[in-house]
Amino acid sequence: MTASLSETLTLVLIEDDDGDAFLVEELLKEADAPPRITWARSLAEGLPKLTADVQCVLVDLSLPDASGLEALEQVLAAAPHAAVLVLTGTSDAHVGVAAVQAGAQDYLVKQDITARLLVRSIRYSMERRRTQRMLVKAEVSAQENARLERGLLPVPLLSGDTIEHTTRYLPGSQGALLAGDFYDTVQTPDGSVHIVVGDVCGHGPDEAALGVALRIAWRTLVLAGRTGDVMLRTMDALLRVERKAPEIYTTLCTATLTPDLTHAELRVVGHPPPVLIRDGVVTAIGEGPSGPPLGIFHDAEWHAIDVPLGEEWSLMLYTDGLIEAAVEQDQLGVDGLVELVREHGHVDLDRLIRHVGTLTDDLAVVLVQRRAP
């Protein structure tokens, strides 16, 4: 039966035995598309022939100027793009196994080679090498994307240790590091502490990119002293420019703590209400939002909610992934979250997230706490 190669290959054979080299060449002539073969009698002669157009290398492990894995290592280094098969004698079959472990795609015992076996081994080896290269590229790309995404996550700008600041960020998409949820914390020179937690509707890379853009815009505006409604209107305008579809909107909650940390000014923009623990009492702040989400109404207005904090308190801002978690087949909801915090007596984010059960959406949480002096 005629052996089959689906394309004409460029192959380098490094073999010092004339008879073995002649056998390989004759066997490959039986292929449907015989490869172009370049023969070298030594490693020194063969290495310069391993150019970028070479797709496969057959190398004997018993050469006059190199033997065993030494020869293989030099071939692999010189031709990282090519599939490499090693040729062994019957008594050296164990060396062939070691060669595969060291990076060769396959090995053949010379005495057992047939045209069909040789062609099939070449074809499979090239496919394995192609797959390996794709996996390496995918891994490198994934690592680069992970570094990029980690670099886009915020580092809080806080001076001193007057408050405890804890965050958790869990994208709903498996394998992702970023989602449409975003958060940030910035302390301005006057001592005020500004916090934001937001949620871009939808899931995917476009929403994640938009979330990053909105977070960076928020930080820039706060550092420039543009807060309150001015900041919200600017972010609303940015959202309309950057979003991929007109139906995409964003909810968010902002908190500005006074320099003495005894009051907070909140804006709940179509977002779940923050949870406050003060004097042992757990409440969801505000009976309703300050106004609609960003990106819906051009003439929207948002009113501030003033909240006395006192000397000792805990304030938690979060996205709806927390309250939409499934607890005993029901969503937790704001009331359920308040009750859960009340049962715990304090907020431990890891324990809280474990307790709420299965998360069905992205999650971002910022917890700030102040202990009594």
Side-chain angles (χ1 to χ4, degrees):
M1 183 180 295
T2 302
S4 174
L5 285 176
S6 59
E7 57 181 318
T8 300
L9 308 177
T10 299
L11 183 148
V12 171
L13 171 63
I14 306 177
E15 170 63 69
D16 65 316
D17 187 285
D18 292 359
D20 289 339
F22 176 78
L23 174 63
V24 169
E25 290 178 329
E26 289 300 308
L27 292 175
L28 289 177
K29 286 180 181 179
E30 299 182 25
D32 291 338
R36 294 181 293 269
I37 302 175
T38 300
W39 176 26
R41 289 179 169 81
S42 67
L43 189 62
E45 182 184 345
L47 291 179
K49 301 181 184 298
L50 301 180
T51 54
D53 62 325
V54 173
Q55 297 155 290
C56 184
V57 182
L58 272 66
V59 56
D60 183 11
L61 291 186
S62 299
L63 296 171
D65 54 349
S67 62
L69 298 184
E70 177 189 356
L72 173 64
E73 290 169 358
Q74 294 189 54
V75 169
L76 291 173
H81 54 282
V84 178
L85 288 81
V86 299
L87 303 174
T88 72
T90 304
S91 61
D92 296 328
H94 65 285
V95 180
V97 175
V100 172
Q101 295 173 342
Q105 275 64 60
D106 203 352
Y107 78 95
L108 293 170
V109 178
K110 294 178 182 180
Q111 290 81 354
D112 298 335
I113 295 178
T114 63
R116 184 178 179 82
L117 176 61
L118 179 58
V119 170
R120 185 178 65 179
S121 183
I122 291 173
R123 186 174 69 247
Y124 287 178
S125 295
M126 290 184 60
E127 187 59 37
R128 280 195 290 271
R129 184 61 184 138
R130 186 180 295 114
T131 301
Q132 289 170 353
R133 293 180 66 186
M134 290 176 59
L135 290 174
V136 169
K137 288 181 179 179
E139 183 178 357
V140 170
S141 177
Q143 291 173 350
E144 291 176 348
N145 289 339
R147 284 196 296 270
L148 175 62
E149 291 185 354
R150 280 193 292 269
L152 293 174
L153 290 172
V155 176
L157 298 180
L158 289 169
S159 59
D161 55 358
T162 53
I163 61 172
E164 297 178 17
H165 181 273
T166 311
T167 64
R168 293 294 182 270
Y169 190 75
L170 300 172
S173 300
Q174 189 173 13
L177 295 178
L178 282 178
D181 289 10
F182 59 92
Y183 67 94
D184 206 350
T185 303
V186 170
Q187 188 168 15
T188 47
D190 66 351
S192 300
V193 177
H194 305 263
I195 307 164
V196 67
V197 168
D199 183 0
V200 177
C201 74
H203 303 277
D206 289 340
E207 288 75 16
L210 182 54
V212 171
L214 291 172
R215 181 191 69 77
I216 294 174
W218 176 87
R219 174 175 283 207
T220 302
L221 290 164
V222 168
L223 291 173
R226 311 291 284 180
T227 58
D229 283 0
V230 174
M231 176 265 293
L232 291 175
R233 282 194 293 270
T234 305
M235 292 184 66
D236 181 80
L238 175 66
L239 170 64
R240 295 174 188 276
V241 171
E242 296 291 337
R243 64 188 176 184
K244 299 297 183 181
E247 64 271 14
I248 293 178
Y249 62 89
T250 296
T251 70
L252 57 86
C253 178
T254 67
T256 299
L257 311 181
T258 55
D260 63 2
L261 304 178
T262 60
H263 282 77
E265 183 180 88
L266 305 178
R267 283 175 172 78
V268 184
V269 182
H271 200 79
V275 171
L276 174 66
I277 304 177
R278 180 184 54 196
D279 300 327
V281 178
V282 184
T283 57
I285 300 174
E287 297 180 355
S290 300
L294 303 181
I296 296 182
F297 302 112
H298 286 280
D299 56 350
E301 295 181 356
W302 303 272
H303 68 272
I305 303 172
D306 184 68
V307 180
L309 297 176
E311 296 295 323
E312 184 171 357
W313 47 266
S314 299
L315 180 64
M316 182 172 66
L317 285 66
Y318 55 93
T319 55
D320 58 7
L322 184 61
I323 58 175
E324 290 178 357
V327 179
E328 296 179 357
Q329 299 181 344
D330 293 321
Q331 288 189 349
L332 182 64
V334 176
D335 292 340
L337 176 62
V338 169
E339 183 60 31
L340 193 56
V341 173
R342 187 178 292 123
E343 290 176 3
H344 290 176
H346 67 287
V347 181
D348 178 330
L349 290 186
D350 291 328
R351 180 185 179 194
L352 180 63
I353 292 171
R354 285 196 304 269
H355 198 125
V356 299
T358 303
L359 297 177
T360 59
D361 197 358
D362 308 323
L363 170 66
V365 184
V366 175
L367 174 66
V368 286
Q369 301 179 92
R370 187 192 188 202
R371 307 300 182 188

